[in-house]
Amino acid sequence: MADLKIALLQIAPAGSLKNNQEKGMAACRRAKEMGADIALFPEMWSNGYGIYSRPVEEWTAEAVPVQGEFVRAFGKLAEELQMAIGITLLEKVETGPRNTLVLFDRFGKQVFTYAKIHTCDFDVERNLTPGEEFCVEELDTACGMVKVGSMICYDREFPESARILMLKGAELILVPNACPMEINRLSQLRARAFENMTAIATCNYPASVPDCNGGSSVFDGMAYLPEMETSRDTCILMAGKEEGIFLAALDLGKLREYRRTEMMGNTFRRPDLYGMLVKEGVEEPFIRDGYRGKKERIPGI
């Protein structure tokens, strides 16, 4: 089986919906020239995650519908290029805008629409409508069918997100992002991939974008291989800070064999003992409604 080639479009926004569409389409064409089977955008590409230091009414008015021209253009492009595309947007819905990823397969078919479930309600994202379901669907690629799910940025900080995606069969988790990818967040991604035997591809904005620092990555989730005496680094791609398109080759055949024979993931779980995880009213050691912190600023890696 040929490797699945994943292109992370670590690019800076171009100042308007129209410009972002044009720049994004050009990046997809370049990714295809590089041999990509999937191209993934950073979080909320339609407006470049431009929701800070602006009136709420101003940026929420920039939301666009999933069936609108912006998203449809990338569906048509996926069909033209014969390449899957994960396009991100501030989605217009009746209940208020959502932080959304739309995944198209190589025939331009809309495979799923995923809205960020764990919105950053300690900050301006409290004005977004959170998603309601983690989804996993089969994606038709030149390498065959691949079971794909998604998390978006802050979803990463909840291990339940990746766990549910794994339980639904995800082999690859796509993670659009817009924040500093420092050592702790990178460690989260590494851990999510390791503990679920799932590949995780994260696309961030470059360091030229405020509060971002590049560091887009792919972890393949395979810590142990028969030909190696010790564990291996599961990171198969780590981008620098600069703007660019970064390509990783994921060995799907090896990943599937690893998932069939190794002991992580769902192998020895004890869900009968995990009831506390879904109980409401459990005493919390952390402030919620009283939180008044500012958006975290962590120096770039």
Side-chain angles (χ1 to χ4, degrees), residues 167-183:
L167 291 172
K168 288 189 170 186
E171 300 172 297
L172 170 64
I173 299 175
L174 303 176
V175 189
N177 195 81
C179 71
M181 292 311 300
E182 42 76 51
I183 188 170

Side-chain angles (χ1 to χ4, degrees), residues 161-288:
S161 304
R163 184 64 91 190
I164 289 171
L165 291 169
M166 178 275 292
L167 291 172
K168 288 189 170 186
E171 300 172 297
L172 170 64
I173 299 175
L174 303 176
V175 189
N177 195 81
C179 71
M181 292 311 300
E182 42 76 51
I183 188 170
N184 298 293
R185 290 177 175 133
L186 290 170
S187 297
Q188 286 176 326
L189 294 168
R190 185 187 297 274
R192 299 295 90 84
F194 168 65
E195 65 200 10
N196 292 298
M197 299 191 295
T198 302
I200 298 183
T202 302
C203 186
N204 196 27
Y205 286 102
S208 58
V209 176
D211 206 41
C212 292
N213 67 339
S216 297
S217 63
V218 179
F219 295 91
D220 67 13
M222 295 181 281
Y224 310 102
L225 295 178
E227 64 269 25
M228 299 181 66
E229 294 184 359
T230 60
S231 64
R232 62 182 283 275
D233 187 352
T234 64
C235 182
I236 60 172
L237 185 150
M238 180 63 63
K241 298 180 180 182
E242 70 278 8
E243 184 169 14
I245 299 171
F246 299 90
L247 194 71
L250 175 64
D251 189 329
L252 277 174
K254 189 171 286 188
L255 175 60
R256 286 168 178 166
E257 178 63 13
Y258 182 80
R259 288 160 65 93
R260 189 184 70 82
T261 58
E262 272 297 338
M263 41 65 69
M264 301 300 289
N266 195 33
T267 312
F268 296 111
R269 291 176 65 247
R270 292 289 307 277
D272 54 312
L273 301 180
Y274 304 157
M276 189 175 182
L277 292 175
V278 294
K279 285 183 179 179
E280 294 186 8
V282 176
E283 182 178 352
E284 297 183 53
F286 307 110
I287 297 171
R288 289 184 57 147

